[in-house]
Structures are given as structure tokens and as C-alpha cells.
Amino acid sequence: MLLRTARSLTANPCDAEDLLQTALTKTFMAWERIEDHRALDGYVRRALLNTRTSQWRKRKVDEFACEELPEPVGLPEPDPADRQVLHDAMWRAVMKLPERQRQMVVLRYYEDLSEAQTAEVLGVSVGTVKSAVSRALGKLREDPELTPAR
């Protein structure tokens, strides 16, 4: 569980392991000062956060000034017309959903409400929102208009 916390604080799994090892070492070094040994998880989590914050503040900047900026490497921007076609196809697929599922999908993904907020707006339980949205997304995945050609 502590490794999962460390992984959420870093982008690299190896860095997460190093971070956790450092936090555990700090915990061991402070063992005499820790009054409640039942709360070690919280102490180690705080050590993880403090260590990561210190690393972030001390990070080495590998940037340097140059005469010309290099061209960005990556994928070209998609054609706006293709994006609009996909957007229209997605909206048509959403409109095919039953009304209740459509309401939940629109609130969750178009209005960016949380599951709890969606449940509150519709007067249903969070579990109802989760299951209905899951079924709706399954239907959208099966829609032939949205399935990429193979």
C-alpha cells in the first residue's frame, strides 16, 4: 500500500521504490521520537510526501538556451473535419441510448459531473449511476458507427 502511494507521487516505478526506501529510512532514523507506533503508516506517508516535495524543490533543470527551437516531435494535429465527424457520430450514438442512460452519460461526460453529483441531480443512488453509465458505455463501444475500421 505504501508503494502504491509512492507510485502515485512519481512518474517512474523505480523512482517510487527509491522514494519509499528513503521514507522508510527516515522513519527508522526517527523511531525513538515516534510516540504512537500504531500510526506508522501515517508517519511513513507524511515522510513520502515531504521527501517528494523536497526532491521536487531541488530538481535539477536539464534545460539550456539555444539559438533555434527544435521542431516538436509527435503526431500531427488531427484534421478538424475528422474531429467534427467523430464528434457528430458520438453524439448520434449517445442519442440512441435510452433516456435515463443518456441523461447520466451527458451529466458525467459532457457536463463533467462526478458520480455523486450526477446521482444527486437525478435523485438516484451512486450505484445506479455507476451501473447505468457502465451499460451505456458498453452500448457505445458496440456501436458500429464508432468502431474503427480494421
Side-chain angles (χ1 to χ4, degrees), residues 94-146:
V94 168
M95 294 307 289
K96 292 179 194 174
L97 293 172
E99 183 179 352
R100 197 70 162 164
Q101 288 180 357
R102 184 173 59 244
Q103 291 172 344
M104 292 182 192
V105 167
V106 168
L107 289 173
R108 283 284 293 129
Y109 298 105
Y110 284 88
E111 296 296 322
D112 200 27
L113 296 182
S114 70
E115 290 168 341
Q117 291 169 326
T118 302
E120 185 178 333
V121 167
L122 296 174
V124 297
S125 71
V126 173
T128 300
V129 171
K130 287 181 180 183
S131 62
V133 168
S134 176
R135 285 192 303 274
L137 293 177
K139 288 179 183 178
L140 292 174
R141 282 185 200 101
E142 294 171 1
D143 193 303
E145 196 173 0
L146 297 175

Side-chain angles (χ1 to χ4, degrees), residues 9 32 44 61-62 66 86 88 98 106 108 110-111 119 125:
L9 295 172
E32 299 296 323
V44 175
V61 178
D62 292 333
C66 61
L86 181 60
D88 293 344
V106 168
R108 283 284 293 129
Y110 284 88
E111 296 296 322
S125 71

